[in-house]
Amino acid sequence: MTDFKPKKWPKQARSRASFDAILEGAARLLRRQGYEALTTNRIAAEAGVGIATLYEFFPNKEAIVAELVARLMAKVEANMEEAFAEAVGQDPWPAVIHMTSRAVGSLAEDREVFHVLLRQVPFVPQLPVVMETRAALAALSQRVRITAAGALDLPMPEEDAWLISEMLYNAILEVAFLDVDEKKRAELTKELARLTYRMAVGRDPEAAGSVSR
Amino acid sequence: MTDFKPKKWPKQARSRASFDAILEGAARLLRRQGYEALTTNRIAAEAGVGIATLYEFFPNKEAIVAELVARLMAKVEANMEEAFAEAVGQDPWPAVIHMTSRAVGSLAEDREVFHVLLRQVPFVPQLPVVMETRAALAALSQRVRITAAGALDLPMPEEDAWLISEMLYNAILEVAFLDVDEKKRAELTKELARLTYRMAVGRDPEAAGSVSR
DNA sequence: ATATAATCCAAGTAATTGCTCGGAAAACTC
DNA sequence: GAGTTTTCCGAGCAATTACTTGGATTATAT
């Protein structure tokens, strides 16, 4: 149906600036007015380029949004990979805290834009890059469950892992979207990690009798 | 800004039929084509009424969607109140299963429409009726936490209850939206109840040493 | 039976939308 | 520096949109 890729990539520095300006303009409009107010003419005006220039690079409006999502998600994924590398070898509980914090933190940086993109734009949740991120979270939740020492078995491991990752994904978004100071967000994030641990392992990470390894 | 209420309620049987036909037509279009394809002219055509008749009752498109949401949510709320009455006095674990099942079940009845409404229509999550339903879920999660015998204390009760209800709400939607047979959905629902219990109480509801009362 | 109110409607309007056209200017290539 | 490619652009078009108009038809009240 609709093509979500740019029809042409910029080759010179001048056009790269236009390309970036279009994406940044789109992000600014999304932040200020939401998706319903996003029109191609407005994006061009906000970006300071002619409407024809916009269509030089993007086949349609959706492709602009998709490229913006791709760029934002790339930052999140880079963050997550780094955090994962750091978490390897740590005990499960600190590892879960660490990963959750990174996820929340990297989304919170652009929280208004993410909020609009992930919750108000119909086709964004189905975008490959978004689905891959969710799949990565699912893998993480599997891993934690297996690694955790003395974890209680869950009756339906696959389904439970899927449920946990769905819940975690949505809660990460909710916490990241909240308009609170960073201290409060950090507290909520730690509690989110705790609840995730409780789901996966079946007991509180700081409860008596819960020894790691 | 936009007015979300019908500008006039039908007074005769004839117009009540038109009113209902408009809402049902809108629901059918949402199910088949999603929100982006929803236009007032199309709704009127699908409902078999003139476009002017539609504007006789609704001030704008948003009001039609809002009224549809209100009707669907009323059914869910009725279901939940009934389930809550039945759950009072039960032990926490069966009570959680019971409530969760009802929530999933009542949403699953119209899952395609709910999916579009709650995940693709920008203003729906902010609609009063939707926010009230979420508040009710938050209250439920508080209640379960307090009632559960031997529950482990959570360090930040309010925040944790909020997180649990957010996670539960989103997971209920995800499970209800899934296109699976009812047996599978029931299995997933029970696991969802289990994970919720684990979060709230800090141990598995069926684990050894977990006695109710 | 007449008056009043409720209900219906198709054609049409004004505004907005995504997107194209035709060509000018700037940057690379040789 | 000539030729080629890349980049830029705003006026404007075709399609679609939400919504109005002006009046006909049907029910209700007295």
Side-chain angles (χ1 to χ4, degrees):
Chain A
M1 199 82 90
T2 317
D3 199 357
F4 291 121
K5 290 198 307 288
K7 62 164 134 176
K8 194 165 91 181
W9 295 95
K11 306 199 167 174
Q12 303 176 2
R14 185 167 53 131
S15 61
R16 207 164 309 128
S18 297
F19 194 92
D20 291 352
I22 290 165
L23 294 176
E24 285 157 21
R28 247 173 291 141
L29 287 177
L30 285 175
R31 203 175 304 133
R32 290 209 300 261
Q33 323 217 348
Y35 181 66
E36 287 187 309
L38 193 77
T39 72
T40 51
N41 285 307
R42 261 197 274 259
I43 294 173
E46 176 72 25
V49 306
I51 178 64
T53 300
L54 184 153
Y55 279 100
E56 198 72 29
F57 297 106
F58 299 97
N60 49 52
K61 188 169 69 167
E62 288 75 22
I64 301 172
V65 174
E67 178 62 21
L68 180 59
V69 170
R71 285 205 176 180
L72 287 168
M73 280 301 194
K75 278 205 293 186
V76 174
E77 268 180 38
N79 248 306
M80 292 305 291
E81 276 183 36
E82 201 183 291
F84 187 75
E86 291 161 3
V88 167
Q90 288 186 23
D91 284 336
W93 173 223
V96 171
I97 295 180
H98 189 68
M99 298 285 302
T100 311
S101 302
R102 272 303 184 81
V104 170
S106 56
L107 286 163
E109 274 177 38
D110 291 294
R111 60 189 184 77
E112 298 114 317
V113 183
F114 270 118
H115 187 63
V116 173
L117 286 174
L118 292 170
R119 293 291 200 210
Q120 297 190 5
V121 183
F123 63 88
V124 165
Q126 276 107 49
L127 247 34
V129 67
V130 175
M131 296 177 71
E132 283 158 20
T133 302
R134 293 181 82 150
L137 260 177
L140 171 67
S141 99
Q142 274 276 21
R143 196 193 161 81
V144 169
R145 193 184 58 81
I146 291 164
T147 310
L152 294 182
D153 276 339
L154 282 159
M156 307 178 70
E158 276 179 38
E159 286 83 353
D160 287 307
W162 179 80
L163 281 168
I164 291 170
S165 67
E166 285 299 319
M167 295 171 96
L168 180 56
Y169 173 78
N170 282 296
I172 284 171
L173 294 188
E174 297 293 341
V175 172
F177 294 161
L178 278 182
D179 185 14
V180 295
D181 63 53
E182 291 316 305
K183 181 156 167 285
K184 187 76 191 172
R185 200 192 308 283
E187 287 173 2
L188 278 167
T189 304
K190 191 186 171 189
E191 286 313 297
L192 173 54
R194 175 193 308 281
L195 295 176
T196 304
Y197 189 99
R198 282 183 170 210
M199 280 198 288
V201 179
R203 66 166 176 271
D204 195 273
E206 291 172 350
S210 163
V211 205
S212 26
R213 198 63 42 113
Chain B
M1 199 84 87
T2 316
D3 199 357
F4 291 120
K5 290 197 306 288
K7 62 166 133 175
K8 193 166 92 182
W9 295 95
K11 306 198 167 177
Q12 303 177 1
R14 184 165 51 132
S15 62
R16 207 164 308 128
S18 297
F19 194 92
D20 291 352
I22 290 165
L23 293 176
E24 285 157 21
R28 247 173 292 141
L29 287 177
L30 285 175
R31 203 175 304 133
R32 291 209 300 261
Q33 324 218 353
Y35 181 66
E36 287 187 309
L38 193 77
T39 72
T40 51
N41 286 306
R42 259 197 275 258
I43 294 173
E46 175 72 25
V49 306
I51 176 65
T53 300
L54 184 154
Y55 278 100
E56 199 71 29
F57 297 106
F58 299 97
N60 49 53
K61 189 169 69 166
E62 287 76 22
I64 301 172
V65 174
E67 179 62 20
L68 180 59
V69 171
R71 285 205 177 182
L72 288 169
M73 280 301 195
K75 278 206 292 186
V76 174
E77 268 180 38
N79 249 306
M80 291 305 291
E81 276 184 35
E82 202 183 291
F84 187 74
E86 290 160 6
V88 168
Q90 289 185 24
D91 285 336
W93 173 222
V96 171
I97 295 180
H98 189 69
M99 298 285 303
T100 311
S101 302
R102 272 302 184 81
V104 170
S106 57
L107 285 163
E109 274 177 38
D110 291 293
R111 59 190 184 78
E112 298 114 316
V113 183
F114 270 118
H115 187 80
V116 172
L117 285 174
L118 292 170
R119 293 292 200 210
Q120 297 190 3
V121 182
F123 62 89
V124 164
Q126 276 105 50
L127 246 34
V129 68
V130 175
M131 295 178 71
E132 282 158 19
T133 302
R134 292 183 81 150
L137 261 178
L140 171 66
S141 100
Q142 275 276 20
R143 196 193 162 81
V144 169
R145 191 185 60 80
I146 291 163
T147 311
L152 292 184
D153 276 339
L154 283 159
M156 307 176 69
E158 277 179 39
E159 286 83 352
D160 286 307
W162 179 81
L163 281 168
I164 291 171
S165 68
E166 285 298 319
M167 296 172 96
L168 180 55
Y169 173 78
N170 282 296
I172 284 171
L173 294 188
E174 297 293 341
V175 172
F177 293 162
L178 277 182
D179 185 15
V180 295
D181 63 53
E182 291 315 305
K183 181 156 166 285
K184 188 76 192 171
R185 200 192 307 283
E187 288 173 1
L188 280 165
T189 304
K190 191 187 170 188
E191 287 313 298
L192 172 54
R194 175 193 308 281
L195 295 176
T196 305
Y197 189 98
R198 283 185 171 209
M199 281 197 288
V201 179
R203 66 164 176 274
D204 195 273
E206 292 172 348
S210 162
V211 204
S212 27
R213 193 69 39 114

